[in-house]
Amino acid sequence: MSKTTLQTVAQTRRSVYALNKTLPVSKDDINQIVEHALLHTPSAFNSQSTRLVVLHGEEHDKLWEIAKAELAKIVPAENFAATEAKLDMFKAGAGTVLFFEDTNVVKGLQDSFPAYADNFPIWADHASAMTQYAIWTTLASENVGANLQHYNPVIDAEVAKTWNIPESWKLRAQLVFGGIVSPAGDKEFAPVADRMKVHG
């Protein structure tokens, strides 16, 4: 892939919220995109601590019903309608990728390399973020819309129970994907001069 093509694909990755259950690619294609990112995204010390769960169809719907039930316990009833509408918007998508980090792997590295112990959780988050970006961008290249959510730790216990998630897996993010009903709006950019410096 040329640099120009890679940059063009990166520009197509946006937070798309108006999604439906009609995908332009197959479930197998989605699974392959996720697997490819899992295999080829770098991680500190080649730790490979990222763990992924892909939910399609009814399993995806179940996730957002769990989120609704858990949030109903903590959001005041008079404010819940807006929360419910947002969660139903996510449920309208075709699927969700759940991102976890295996804390056993991180702990093992901390024990093996104590000089870097404080950094391993940070580096694990870096690897997770890169995997999220790789999947999200590749989905965008296939005209699949997506948006990234963070309902952890509110949903953690029920997610673990429902999908038999190992105790050492810590939920980090949820990437909702689906067919694009309407594209993302215009994006505003902060001045590059305030964000980037070049020397030499």
Side-chain angles (χ1 to χ4, degrees), residues 71-72 74-82:
L71 284 163
I74 60 175
V75 176
E78 62 271 21
N79 298 332
F80 190 68

Side-chain angles (χ1 to χ4, degrees), residues 6 8 18 30 36 46 50 61 80-81 94 112 162:
L6 180 59
T8 301
I30 298 290
H36 187 275
N46 196 29
T50 299
D61 293 348
F80 190 68
S112 297
T162 302

Side-chain angles (χ1 to χ4, degrees), residues 150-171:
H150 301 89
Y151 283 92
N152 40 292
V154 175
I155 64 173
D156 290 20
E158 283 301 312
V159 165
K161 183 169 68 174
T162 302
W163 288 286
N164 195 28
I165 304 298
E167 187 176 351
S168 66
W169 291 21
K170 182 178 181 182
L171 185 60

